[in-house]
């Protein structure tokens, strides 16, 4: 069996950024399960996995444009400190969820001074080349229900 649309695929992966630092890995956890062809994973990686078999390994570099996008300076903003009234501790590096007209996104605090807080709503991996090291652990046909839901069920997948 090879990887194509409507297959549920379990992968072990390690993700390194442009600098070669490990930013995410499934090692020591249940392999990640995803539904192929359903936009569960980033397009560049999905493309590279098409046609692979169990046990195959894939090493790919995904440019920012096919990964989490390039950094957008417009997503960096200065907000008055007073808008964080009631928050005890604010430090650079902290993240929080903010609602915007594009839905909820993760926002990072980059700078804090007496009156102003600088926030950055870029994805932490925006602008980074994503270096994936992937091993295909399992491939199976998706069930009708999984296809309808657009995600896999069971271990490493969606639980409900
Ligand atoms: Zn479901």
């Amino acid at each position: 069996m090879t990887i194509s649309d409507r297959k549920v695929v379990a992968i072990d992966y390690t993700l390194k950024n442009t600098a070669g630092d490990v930013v995410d890995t499934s090692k020591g956890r249940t392999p990640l399960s995803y539904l192929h062809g359903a936009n569960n994973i980033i397009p560049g990686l999905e493309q590279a996995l098409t046609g692979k078999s169990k046990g195959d390994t894939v090493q790919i570099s995904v440019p920012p444009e096919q990964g989490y996008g390039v950094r957008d300076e417009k997503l960096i903003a200065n907000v008055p400190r007073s808008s964080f009234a009631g928050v005890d501790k604010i430090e650079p590096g902290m993240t929080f969820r903010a609602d915007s007209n594009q839905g909820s996104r993760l926002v990072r605090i980059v700078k804090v001074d007496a009156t102003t807080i600088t926030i950055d709503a870029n994805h932490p991996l925006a602008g980074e080349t994503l270096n994936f090291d992937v091993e295909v652990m399992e491939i199976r046909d998706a069930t009708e229900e999984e296809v309808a839901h657009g995600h896999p069920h069971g271990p490493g997948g969606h639980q409900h």
Side-chain angles (χ1 to χ4, degrees), residues 145-146 148-153 158-160:
E145 192 185 43
E146 287 171 325
H149 286 198
H151 57 226
H153 296 152
H158 218 82
Q159 316 287 338
H160 54 161

Side-chain angles (χ1 to χ4, degrees), residues 7-36:
K7 300 280 189 244
V8 169
V9 184
I11 54 171
D12 251 340
Y13 69 94
T14 297
L15 169 59
K16 293 179 183 159
N17 63 10
T18 311
D21 301 323
V22 174
V23 289
D24 193 15
T25 180
S26 66
K27 291 222 169 73
R29 301 200 308 247
T30 309
L32 173 78
S33 265
Y34 78 95
L35 175 61
H36 198 81

Side-chain angles (χ1 to χ4, degrees), residues 41-117:
I41 59 173
I42 59 167
L45 180 58
E46 190 167 71
Q47 244 168 51
L49 283 164
T50 303
K52 299 292 182 210
S53 309
K54 181 175 174 174
D56 282 354
T57 55
V58 173
Q59 280 175 307
I60 55 153
S61 284
V62 178
E65 294 79 7
Q66 286 171 43
Y68 291 102
V70 293
R71 287 183 61 80
D72 181 354
E73 297 307 314
K74 288 198 294 293
L75 293 176
I76 300 170
N78 290 313
V79 295
R81 201 177 171 127
S82 57
S83 56
F84 285 86
V87 182
D88 289 343
K89 206 173 122 198
I90 303 170
E91 282 178 347
M94 285 171 68
T95 56
F96 60 94
R97 284 217 163 269
D99 293 317
S100 74
N101 48 11
Q102 285 153 15
S104 148
R105 52 160 75 231
L106 208 57
V107 174
R108 202 155 27 97
I109 310 259
V110 281
K111 213 173 105 208
V112 178
D113 68 28
T115 54
T116 312
I117 291 173

